[in-house]
Amino acid sequence: TVDMFQDTKLRIPVSTHNDFNGDTSREKENKSVNNMCGPTLPPSEKATSTGKNAAVKLSTKTEPCPPPPVWLKIADLSQPEWEAISTSKDPNTRRDQVQSVDVLTKEKVLEQTPITWAQEIAVILFLAIGPPNGIIFIPFCLAVIGYFIVGNIGRTFLAFGLGVMLPLAILPRQKFHPSYLHSWMAHAVAQYFSTTFMGDIWFHDQDPNTPRILVAPPHGVFPYGNMLAIVSWPLLSGFSMRGLASSAALRVPIFGHILRSVGVVDASRPVATQCLNEGKTIGISTGGVAEIFYTNDKDECVVLKERKGLVKLALRTGAELVPCYLFGNTKLLDCWTGEGLPGWLRAQQAYWSRRAGFAIIYIIGRFGLPIPYRKPILGVSGKPIPTAHLKCADPSPELVDKVQEELLTAMVELFDKHKHLYGWEDKSLIIK
């Protein structure tokens, strides 16, 4: 887990979605969305009315309609298909994969994608040693190896520290490897979580150099959905994005290397500003550690009201704010966040969790271990909120409040519009 988003700190990403313009020259059964309104009258060819039997001259020119919502269950793609689509420069390659949201059902979203036993074991092992579970599993495995094989637990830990952790800590930082985004493991993890993405807009026909901020709560115990959004972004848009994580998370050997290899960067304001000024898309899960303590609430709860630094960042760079939501992120792991403890003790737990940069909680998942359940993830995106026309170096409090209110309203509307697809008709979104 990573630090909560402050005015001076941003957070790990988020989600993933893109704009769609139909291509009437191509039709693919149940996969091509007609996006034309039909014949229109250009100003030069408007009808002339001379009486009851007025002659009307129609143009064969067509006018594009607003793009319809579309979706793609990326978990249903094979790994070669994933790689081919991710690396293709032709927007039609991605356009042909999406389907109209009219045919998307709750049953399709919640359907578990079949995977082989080898894939499942590989994903479980990867999730066990990766963030955040590696904090528990790596020491446990070392203790077992030290006791039963080496015969000395202390020497085993010392050898691992000097032979693995120290070199990783002093070697140059791990570089971003775009090929990792469509690797076998990325594809297997997407299948493990039966991942589906849908959007009121789709970005594969949009300018890849337009700065965007994908605001994608909730955080959950760990933002697995946000990580999937990062690795799936080239598949959905044709260009990569940058997720944001706390510097504490990126400093930890192994964990930091995994995060940096897929394009995650430090969540400081200078780094985020540089990414946006370069025309990149960044993803943010704004709640961070603070939001984890609402994971067990009956309704979905996100921490966003006080995250005004996010809006200021958008206004200073002219970036689009894209409301997103990751259904299922809060249900991948169970946790005990201090329920039943005295209020002062829970306050101390939350305080030290924020100071540490990760939540001090008890986590449980599959097999009684902190392994995420095989539950589906549905990522949805709304229409971008433009800020380029409001861009300024020092936005006024009134302007910040106005844009933030628009973002909060859009977030609630997005949740209410799509919650039925995840079977959450009785749930509400509470923004704190």
Side-chain angles (χ1 to χ4, degrees):
T1 53
V2 296
D3 282 340
M4 55 193 291
F5 180 92
Q6 302 281 359
D7 186 12
T8 57
K9 277 274 188 180
L10 299 180
R11 284 236 44 262
I12 199 166
V14 192
S15 2
T16 197
H17 317 277
N18 315 343
D19 189 80
F20 178 82
N21 278 324
D23 183 356
T24 54
S25 67
R26 305 168 62 93
E27 287 190 3
K28 193 172 183 177
E29 192 171 359
N30 288 328
K31 287 196 174 184
S32 183
V33 183
N34 196 321
N35 191 33
M36 293 295 178
C37 282
T40 61
L41 290 174
S44 61
E45 296 185 38
K46 285 187 177 179
T48 56
S49 177
T50 59
K52 184 176 180 180
N53 298 316
V56 179
K57 183 179 181 182
L58 285 176
S59 169
T60 58
K61 183 179 179 180
T62 56
E63 180 181 272
C65 293
V70 292
W71 66 280
L72 173 63
K73 188 151 188 172
I74 63 172
D76 287 348
L77 298 174
S78 67
Q79 198 277 327
E81 287 176 325
W82 180 309
E83 181 175 358
I85 297 169
S86 297
T87 56
S88 174
K89 301 301 182 182
D90 183 3
N92 292 327
T93 306
R94 279 167 285 280
R95 185 182 296 124
D96 286 344
Q97 297 300 318
V98 298
Q99 301 182 56
S100 169
V101 74
D102 294 336
V103 299
L104 181 60
T105 63
K106 177 174 68 176
E107 290 72 25
K108 181 61 177 177
V109 170
L110 299 180
E111 179 185 23
Q112 197 171 80
T113 302
I115 58 175
T116 66
W117 63 269
Q119 286 177 306
E120 188 162 3
I121 291 175
V123 171
I124 289 173
L125 291 175
F126 174 76
L127 295 175
I129 66 172
N133 302 320
I135 296 175
I136 300 171
F137 276 98
I138 292 177
F140 173 77
C141 292
L142 290 175
V144 171
I145 292 172
Y147 184 82
F148 290 102
I149 299 177
V150 179
N152 189 306
I153 296 177
R155 289 181 180 177
T156 303
F157 274 88
L158 180 62
F160 181 78
L162 295 176
V164 178
M165 301 296 280
L166 182 60
L168 289 177
I170 63 177
L171 287 174
R173 289 181 175 179
Q174 173 71 46
K175 294 183 179 180
F176 169 45
H177 291 276
S179 61
Y180 289 2
L181 302 180
H182 48 78
S183 65
W184 182 91
M185 181 56 69
H187 175 257
V189 173
Q191 288 189 311
Y192 182 88
F193 291 115
S194 304
T195 312
T196 303
F197 286 113
M198 65 164 295
D200 289 342
I201 64 162
W202 214 248
F203 290 114
H204 57 232
D205 285 329
Q206 300 299 297
D207 183 3
N209 297 316
T210 298
R212 299 180 182 89
I213 303 175
L214 307 183
V215 186
H219 186 280
V221 175
F222 185 79
Y224 290 106
N226 304 77
M227 295 301 296
L228 282 167
I230 296 175
V231 299
S232 305
W233 189 252
L235 172 71
L236 302 166
S237 68
F239 51 93
S240 59
M241 65 174 289
R242 295 292 182 271
L244 304 180
S246 70
S247 56
L250 293 174
R251 280 197 299 266
V252 180
I254 300 179
F255 308 151
H257 283 68
I258 293 174
L259 295 175
R260 290 183 188 279
S261 69
V262 295
V264 176
V265 297
D266 183 41
S268 63
R269 187 196 301 179
V271 173
T273 301
Q274 179 182 352
C275 287
L276 293 172
N277 286 337
E278 293 174 354
K280 291 185 172 66
T281 294
I282 64 174
I284 302 172
S285 181
T286 55
V289 172
E291 200 169 275
I292 295 174
F293 289 90
Y294 298 106
T295 299
N296 295 330
D297 286 13
K298 176 182 179 295
D299 291 311
E300 290 283 281
C301 181
V302 301
V303 178
L304 190 56
K305 281 186 178 179
E306 301 304 318
R307 303 303 197 249
K308 296 186 178 180
L310 165 70
V311 178
K312 292 178 183 178
L313 176 68
L315 291 170
R316 287 169 180 154
T317 59
E320 295 179 342
L321 283 167
V322 185
C324 307
Y325 203 84
L326 290 158
F327 291 91
N329 235 12
T330 56
K331 304 304 176 185
L332 302 179
L333 287 165
D334 295 323
C335 63
W336 177 75
T337 59
E339 291 87 350
L341 294 177
W344 67 270
L345 195 54
R346 289 202 72 182
Q348 286 295 312
Q349 179 190 19
Y351 171 76
W352 287 108
S353 293
R354 288 193 295 270
R355 291 291 301 271
F358 58 88
I360 304 173
I361 59 176
Y362 178 71
I363 305 171
I364 189 170
R366 293 184 71 181
F367 319 118
L369 301 172
I371 301 295
Y373 298 113
R374 276 209 70 192
K375 293 188 176 180
I377 291 176
L378 169 64
V380 300
S381 66
K383 296 179 181 178
I385 300 171
T387 67
H389 62 295
L390 302 172
K391 183 178 179 180
C392 56
D394 187 21
S396 67
E398 293 78 16
L399 178 59
V400 172
D401 290 342
K402 180 180 179 181
V403 175
Q404 186 193 40
E405 184 60 32
E406 188 175 353
L407 174 62
L408 298 182
T409 301
M411 192 69 71
V412 173
E413 291 177 349
L414 182 70
F415 180 88
D416 290 339
K417 179 179 179 181
H418 300 299
K419 63 183 181 181
H420 70 281
L421 290 172
Y422 205 77
W424 283 0
E425 292 86 351
D426 59 337
K427 284 185 178 287
S428 299
L429 178 62
I430 309 299
I431 299 181
K432 295 182 179 290

